[in-house]
Amino acid sequence: VILRSIDDKILQEVSKAMAPSVEQFSSTSWRPRLFDNKVLFCTGGSGSICSGQVRALVALGANACIVGRNHDKAKNVAADIALVRPGSIVLGLGGVDVRNHESVKEAVETCVQRLGGIDFVIAGAAGNFVSTIDDLSANAFKAVVDIDLVGSFITAKLTLPRLVASAERARTNKDLDSSSLTGGRIIFVSSTNYQCARIAQAHVCAAKAGVNALSDCISLEYGPRGVTSNVIAPGLIDDTEGARRLTDPTLRNDLIRSVPVQRLGLIKDISDATIFLFADTGSFVNGATIDVDGGAWRIRAAGAGPNYPSLPSRAHQVKLGRGSRL
Ligand code: HXC
């Protein structure tokens, strides 16, 4: 018992000294310097969810390039993320619209020149607003599909050759520790809207369903070249600007009640799924979608009523008879 408590103490001290910021952004199971020498390219990196993903990877050793439309936002968010780990390099490139092939191409080239390659990609740029089909013009529908879906394709198309090279490097680099065996991975940030209809979200549901299909096809074509492609589909993530903008605060308690785990998501939930997929833990996961929504879409699909999560009363179960189907 004494030895164990000494061991625990030493472990605590070592992890405190090595990675003061790691605990803040990811579960304690992720080891410090997991992504040393790795480079992440992220679109939509100035947004709340993606900047959280980038922050977690940088905390664990990666360097990163985030791109976005707004110059100041990209630069400021990049500078803020870089503070998480002294010595890290985080580029913030503004003026990059994922709908524009040339602007993404330029950003990818800058990333490769400045950081030496690309090992991981997060395709996270997205547009969203609330509009029923009655009010949705064809141009508004197209704007969201162009950002979410066409933008994801352009990002993938321009970075996949870099990811193939990274996967090859990881495969042949036998001298380094196991963290270096990872590389050549792309994650698309979708939404649970990809699989269920939502009122006033036709444009987003259509675009996100396409993003999932795109990722599946990439997993099929690029798996043999060592690249994995997966989707993270967030549910309602509480600590984001999008959630603040698009949700009615008076419905907050109802929203929480409608999630099986009885809470809303946090940016950290998405970061942890990201680390899992990019680390060696995710090496056999390809063409998958991880719904990070506390099970919320399951109960929508199951058609759970307004009294959820109350279970049928014992008397009601007895009346139905043991083993009866509800
Ligand atoms: C209704 C809108 C609109 C809005 C634009 N449009 N914004 N319609 N409500 N808020 C319509 C315009 O009227 C126009 O149609 C067409 O869309 C194109 O508009 P532009 O302004 O020219 O396009 P663009 O500058 O490319 O704008 C992109 C956009 C915009 C996505 C459409 O809303 C935007 O930039 N949003 C900010 C970024 C964003 O949404 N981030 C969210 C990330 S995801 P007409 O017919 O007039 O020409 C997220 C998930 C949260 O937040 C989930 C929580 C539930």
Side-chain angles (χ1 to χ4, degrees):
V1 171
I2 292 167
L3 279 177
R4 231 177 111 180
S5 76
I6 292 171
D7 271 0
D8 285 350
K9 264 212 165 122
I10 291 172
L11 260 177
Q12 276 169 16
E13 287 308 311
V14 167
S15 63
K16 238 196 258 166
M18 286 179 76
S21 51
V22 168
E23 274 175 29
Q24 206 179 333
F25 299 107
S26 55
S27 306
T28 44
S29 52
W30 311 118
R31 70 180 164 78
R33 320 212 67 96
L34 187 60
F35 297 120
D36 259 9
N37 305 313
K38 301 296 171 190
V39 174
L40 166 68
F41 181 83
C42 178
T43 67
S46 355
S48 316
I49 289 181
C50 292
S51 63
Q53 293 172 292
V54 178
R55 196 180 296 271
L57 253 78
V58 170
L60 294 172
N63 289 324
C65 175
I66 64 172
V67 305
R69 280 183 291 176
N70 184 307
H71 282 279
D72 289 345
K73 209 170 166 195
K75 286 211 176 338
N76 292 341
V77 171
D80 184 57
I81 292 173
L83 296 176
V84 82
R85 183 174 55 82
S88 63
I89 306 173
V90 184
L91 305 178
L93 306 180
V96 181
D97 188 327
V98 288
R99 293 169 284 190
N100 181 327
H101 187 275
E102 279 313 300
S103 82
V104 182
K105 188 166 177 249
E106 220 172 277
V108 167
E109 279 163 9
T110 304
C111 176
V112 172
Q113 270 164 19
R114 304 265 305 269
L115 301 179
I118 297 175
D119 301 290
F120 305 127
V121 172
I122 295 174
N128 197 349
F129 51 80
V130 175
S131 174
T132 59
I133 294 167
D134 273 347
D135 296 329
L136 192 65
S137 71
N139 196 38
F141 183 88
K142 186 173 177 303
V144 171
V145 170
D146 279 353
I147 296 171
D148 291 21
L149 179 55
V150 181
S152 291
F153 174 76
I154 290 173
T155 303
K157 173 89 182 152
L158 289 167
T159 54
L160 278 164
R162 308 291 178 181
L163 294 180
V164 171
S166 165
E168 184 58 23
R169 272 197 305 276
R171 226 188 343 240
T172 52
N173 202 346
K174 307 249 186 292
D175 299 335
L176 299 171
D177 66 25
S178 71
S179 68
S180 301
L181 300 177
T182 176
R185 306 212 177 149
I186 183 164
I187 291 174
F188 295 86
V189 181
S190 181
S191 142
T192 46
N193 286 348
Y194 78 91
Q195 60 193 331
C196 51
R198 269 183 211 280
I199 297 213
Q201 290 282 272
H203 42 315
V204 179
C205 293
K208 294 302 192 184
V211 168
N212 280 60
L214 172 65
S215 172
D216 290 352
C217 293
I218 292 172
S219 71
L220 212 56
E221 291 192 27
Y222 281 79
R225 284 177 261 180
V227 174
T228 65
S229 176
N230 294 290
V231 173
I232 291 177
L236 188 59
I237 304 301
D238 203 17
D239 45 350
T240 62
E241 198 233 314
R244 277 190 288 279
R245 195 162 50 88
L246 298 171
T247 55
D248 177 349
T250 62
L251 298 178
R252 193 179 157 76
N253 284 343
D254 290 344
L255 280 170
I256 292 172
R257 237 162 48 87
S258 73
V259 180
V261 299
Q262 301 292 284
R263 70 168 174 89
L264 301 180
L266 296 171
I267 292 171
K268 178 186 176 302
D269 296 317
I270 308 299
S271 305
D272 278 344
T274 305
I275 296 165
F276 163 74
L277 286 173
F278 282 158
D280 210 39
T281 41
S283 64
F284 200 53
V285 184
N286 186 29
T289 295
I290 302 184
D291 295 332
V292 186
D293 72 339
W297 107 262
R298 300 277 157 207
I299 71 159
R300 276 168 58 84
N307 291 329
Y308 183 81
S310 309
L311 295 171
S313 71
R314 185 149 173 74
H316 184 57
Q317 289 179 56
V318 169
K319 197 170 132 205
L320 285 170
R322 215 171 142 220
S324 300
R325 294 173 74 101
L326 289 175

